[in-house]
Amino acid sequence: MIDTLASVSPDEFARLFPKPSTVFGSAAFNMLNSHKAQRVEYLAGLDGAGSAEMGLIAGLRDGVWRSPFSAPMAAISWRNAPSIATVESFLRKVTEYLAPTPLRIVFPPSFVAPSMLSQIAGTAMNMASEVTADFNFHYDLSLFPDFEKHLTPSARNKYHQSLKAGFTFDTADIARAYAVIRANRTAKGYYLAMPLEQVEATAETIDIDAFVLSLDGTDVAAAIVYRIAPGIAHVVYWGDTPGFERTRPMNILPYHIFSHYHSLGFSIVNIGTSSTDGIPNHGLCNFKSSLGCTATIIPTCTIR
């Protein structure tokens, strides 16, 4: 059980929780992004002997405490596999400390730590005044040796078309890949949340990989991927350059990304959510499913 809750310094939080469930829960990452919140709290739950059992970083933004306040998912930290009772007491003390302002937690997909995240997210859902479920998709790299077998018939046909185009795939510096992503988002009228400088700064605290797919010397698709936990890669951005859609670059780019991380011994490539506030983007959901990805639920819990 959690006896007391302590607000600690970022350095102390890093000492208490050196291995958060994902890099988004590290003190270093949150310090880098602290300017995006009015205030940031590094909270540690202590047992009766004063030992840190659970931790959470939250930022105050737009009248709500958010965990995360600048990332796709939160990363509650723990030690010694806390019980459900300990999780409940920790969340109660956190919400009491932050009251009367509500706390909004976006949980990682359960595959990050199946047993613990089920306990933590389930407890939060039972305590929440509001819960939203978003659809997340990931690729299990144990399937990769039979990549084509797990494609839908339509996706397999488009993949075969892309094979004929003669693409080359390679690692690249972040700026080169980002230029393709920016062209993609600009053409579609989509907002690009992070400027190049921010992605490059993030590379100081997170291992980031960048890839480009080229055709006759022109970069036609790219991806920027974070290594968020042991054996887990997370696609932050990917997209193709306008005008090359007929060559099907987005039907072969996933193959190369999966191949890259499979060769490194990774277990999962997470492609991320395909919904916003619970409203699915059916086109994205269908595309990711066609690749053989598995859908999981990411709950967002608001606790008052």
Side-chain angles (χ1 to χ4, degrees):
M1 297 289 287
I2 301 300
D3 186 65
T4 58
L5 187 75
S7 176
V8 301
S9 69
D11 287 344
E12 179 65 4
F13 190 93
R15 186 188 70 79
L16 293 172
F17 304 103
K19 296 181 179 180
S21 56
T22 76
V23 292
F24 300 124
S26 69
F29 176 81
N30 284 275
M31 287 176 65
L32 177 68
N33 290 283
S34 61
H35 64 282
K36 298 178 184 179
Q38 295 167 256
R39 181 175 139 208
V40 180
E41 285 281 356
Y42 299 79
L43 302 174
L46 313 176
D47 63 16
S51 175
E53 292 297 317
M54 298 191 70
L56 178 141
I57 303 172
L60 180 62
R61 205 183 72 212
D62 301 326
V64 178
W65 283 103
R66 300 172 186 269
S67 183
F69 59 90
S70 180
M73 63 190 77
I76 292 179
S77 299
W78 61 82
R79 298 172 71 176
N80 305 318
S83 66
I84 292 175
T86 297
V87 173
E88 183 176 355
S89 64
F90 173 70
L91 290 176
R92 290 198 185 283
K93 289 191 178 298
V94 168
T95 51
E96 289 170 1
Y97 177 83
L98 299 176
T101 306
L103 170 65
R104 181 179 182 270
I105 307 175
V106 182
F107 285 93
S110 59
F111 59 72
V112 170
S115 178
M116 280 311 309
L117 283 171
S118 294
Q119 293 189 133
I120 296 172
T123 301
M125 291 168 71
N126 289 333
M127 296 172 62
S129 58
E130 180 182 340
V131 178
T132 301
D134 281 301
F135 300 98
N136 183 79
F137 290 83
H138 72 275
Y139 191 83
D140 180 346
L141 289 171
S142 68
L143 304 178
F144 181 73
D146 296 311
F147 176 75
E148 284 197 48
K149 176 182 176 182
H150 298 285
L151 298 173
T152 63
S154 175
R156 190 177 303 116
N157 179 55
K158 292 174 182 176
Y159 171 66
H160 287 164
Q161 293 177 42
S162 69
L163 286 173
K164 298 175 182 177
F167 293 112
T168 58
F169 175 83
D170 205 354
T171 57
D173 60 55
I174 292 173
R176 181 180 169 191
Y178 187 90
V180 176
I181 302 300
R182 181 168 50 201
N184 172 272
R185 298 302 192 270
T186 299
K188 294 182 177 181
Y190 293 162
Y191 171 66
L192 192 56
M194 291 190 292
L196 172 60
E197 295 74 19
Q198 185 178 336
V199 180
E200 292 177 327
T202 302
E204 298 177 10
T205 61
I206 293 178
D207 290 329
I208 296 179
D209 299 316
F211 307 98
V212 292
L213 193 71
S214 303
L215 185 63
D216 299 327
T218 300
D219 293 342
V220 299
I224 295 174
V225 184
Y226 291 4
R227 302 186 184 195
I228 64 170
I232 300 175
H234 175 76
V235 177
V236 175
Y237 290 127
W238 68 2
D240 56 355
T241 302
F244 290 88
E245 294 84 358
R246 290 186 178 181
T247 58
R248 306 290 186 188
M250 291 307 295
N251 291 96
I252 199 170
L253 180 63
Y255 168 84
H256 287 298
I257 293 172
F258 299 162
S259 175
H260 177 84
Y261 289 105
H262 180 264
S263 71
L264 295 178
F266 276 54
S267 58
I268 285 172
V269 174
N270 190 47
I271 302 179
T273 56
S274 296
S275 58
T276 303
D277 296 329
I279 301 173
N281 180 320
H282 295 291
L284 278 178
C285 290
N286 292 340
F287 171 67
K288 294 175 182 180
S289 293
S290 76
L291 297 174
C293 290
T294 300
T296 53
I297 295 299
I298 289 186
T300 297
C301 300
T302 301
I303 308 173
R304 300 179 186 276

